[in-house]
Amino acid sequence: MAIVVNKPLPEFEANATGGIKVTNTSHTGQILILYFYPKDNTPGCTTEAMQFRDKYKDFVKAGATVFGVSRDNMKSHDDFKAKLELPFELIADTEEKMCHMFGVVKNKIMYGKKVKGIERSTFLVGPDGLLAQEWRGLKVPGHVDEVLKAVKAIKAQDKKVA
């Protein structure tokens, strides 16, 4: 099933660092950010993780939970998390179930060879469990600020409704 803006997420279950299980309904009532990145300890992914880390308190204040997602295993994630002192958990999607579900596995050309890689993408899920916004094939500079702005807009909308 495809991921569609303004629709609920399809059913999934994944394991994250810290012994946390994440499902399509585990964070209902909260704003959920799932950011997919290619690989732990690579330059762009390290920069992106540090930017989410540095703005983490702002995300929490706005009512959001952040998860990074990649194909790396739990040990790699634990090491990456410890090295960068990340305050949020990382999902180990070693079988690429979430990556395929969210449609972030793309053919890329690396060093002249075709490889399947993860397209850097972020998904913002509202407290109602509906996909509110998506960013695909994004560039790291300025992206985390853009996501935070979108989270604050959802939070402001929720306050009006309440």
Side-chain angles (χ1 to χ4, degrees), residues 8 11 23 30 33 37 40 56 81 84 89 92 95-96 98 102-103 106 110 112 120 122 130 133 139 150 159:
E11 216 172 279
T23 70
Q30 299 172 345
I33 296 157
Y37 63 97
D40 291 344
Y56 184 71
K81 188 176 183 247
L84 297 180
E89 305 303 334
E95 294 175 13
E96 297 181 5
M98 284 182 73
F102 281 83
K106 302 286 180 197
M110 278 179 87
R120 192 179 309 281
T122 300
L130 302 181
Q133 205 166 340
K139 299 284 178 246
K159 279 185 181 160

Side-chain angles (χ1 to χ4, degrees), residues 140-157:
V140 173
H143 173 63
V144 171
D145 290 327
E146 204 178 312
V147 176
L148 184 58
K149 201 167 127 187
V151 167
K152 287 178 176 174
I154 290 174
K155 186 77 171 168
Q157 192 65 39

Side-chain angles (χ1 to χ4, degrees), residues 77-145:
H77 276 349
D78 283 334
D79 293 348
F80 188 54
K81 188 176 183 247
K83 180 177 159 187
L84 297 180
E85 298 176 2
L86 301 179
F88 52 86
E89 305 303 334
L90 302 174
I91 294 173
D93 189 30
T94 54
E95 294 175 13
E96 297 181 5
K97 287 180 182 167
M98 284 182 73
C99 291
H100 283 290
M101 188 177 100
F102 281 83
V104 299
V105 178
K106 302 286 180 197
N107 287 321
K108 295 178 170 186
I109 306 271
M110 278 179 87
Y111 309 111
K113 289 193 168 100
K114 268 190 183 176
V115 295
K116 280 204 183 299
I118 302 301
E119 179 181 57
R120 192 179 309 281
S121 306
T122 300
F123 299 88
L124 175 59
V125 182
D128 52 8
L130 302 181
L131 180 63
Q133 205 166 340
E134 63 180 11
W135 294 265
R136 293 177 179 273
L138 57 95
K139 299 284 178 246
V140 173
H143 173 63
V144 171
D145 290 327

